[in-house]
Amino acid sequence: CGKKGSSGSSAPTPVPTAGWIKLTNSNTPPSIRANVGASTATGTTVMFFGGTDILNYFDELWQYTPTFISNSGSWTKLIPVSAPSPRAGGTLTYDSVNTRWLLLGGTDATIAYNELWELKESTPGNWVWTKLNPTNGTQIPLIFNQTTHFITDERRIISFGGEDASSVFNDVHAVDFTSITDGVYAKL
């Protein structure tokens, strides 16, 4: 609507412009890295796992909490129990049904992983990684740099694309968690 001017007409309401805002860090961030698995749950906290600086692969878990009012954010390095091996290109997605993050795949430049890991906060401030073993007699493919999303209504993760040491894929894969905790794998 807007405010009426002296002529009786309505001036248009300004529309905010969309754009990127660089957030300043209120504390020390992780070292420089690429191909990090990232995911958010409800709210604004974002979880990051792994990544590479070209020479090194990481198995670190970081939590980032932005404060948009001040265009800043803070980093917290989490120290979970039994982390997956260092890797880059794994995808992290949030399972809101079971209040957990799921890490799929990744690579350390020597090995492409077909692993599925669960990350849960067992008690406040205590994080635990657990390797899951989806059933169906077929293993998840050895992939990294895929796109993964958790579909809440279906209680499954869907993964598209990715690559291994020699090929890039356009396959779709799913792990169904409707009946068992570790899930049932299927290529769609």
Side-chain angles (χ1 to χ4, degrees):
C1 290
K3 210 184 232 184
K4 288 197 175 193
S6 58
S7 65
S9 65
S10 292
T13 302
V15 176
T17 57
W20 288 97
I21 299 169
K22 184 173 182 178
L23 303 177
T24 58
N25 294 308
S26 62
N27 58 349
T28 305
S31 61
I32 294 172
R33 59 191 70 186
N35 297 323
V36 177
S39 180
T40 184
T42 56
T44 58
T45 299
V46 184
M47 302 293 266
F48 295 91
F49 177 79
T52 180
D53 65 4
I54 310 290
L55 299 174
N56 303 293
Y57 287 79
F58 301 98
D59 62 355
E60 298 174 343
L61 179 66
W62 288 83
Q63 184 179 56
Y64 183 72
T65 306
T67 307
F68 293 106
I69 293 171
S70 61
N71 290 338
S72 66
S74 64
W75 290 95
T76 304
K77 184 176 181 180
L78 304 175
I79 312 295
V81 176
S82 64
S85 60
R87 66 189 66 199
T91 54
L92 196 61
T93 189
Y94 185 68
D95 170 355
S96 59
V97 174
N98 296 299
T99 319
R100 64 183 178 176
W101 281 264
L102 297 165
L103 173 70
L104 177 64
T107 184
D108 66 5
T110 305
I111 299 169
Y113 295 101
N114 61 347
E115 299 173 338
L116 180 62
W117 288 80
E118 167 191 85
L119 173 68
K120 286 190 100 159
E121 191 172 23
S122 59
T123 59
N126 293 309
W127 296 89
V128 177
W129 283 106
T130 304
K131 187 175 177 184
L132 302 179
N133 296 300
T135 60
N136 197 17
T138 306
Q139 287 193 331
I140 295 171
L142 301 166
I143 54 173
F144 55 95
N145 293 335
Q146 70 280 3
T147 301
T148 304
H149 182 72
F150 185 81
I151 301 174
T152 304
D153 294 345
E154 297 286 325
R155 296 192 59 196
R156 64 183 78 205
I157 58 171
I158 301 292
S159 177
F160 171 73
E163 58 185 298
D164 63 14
S166 60
S167 302
V168 177
F169 303 103
N170 66 348
D171 299 339
V172 178
H173 302 270
V175 179
D176 183 340
F177 294 101
T178 55
S179 59
I180 61 172
T181 305
D182 279 10
V184 176
Y185 166 75
K187 181 178 178 182
L188 305 179

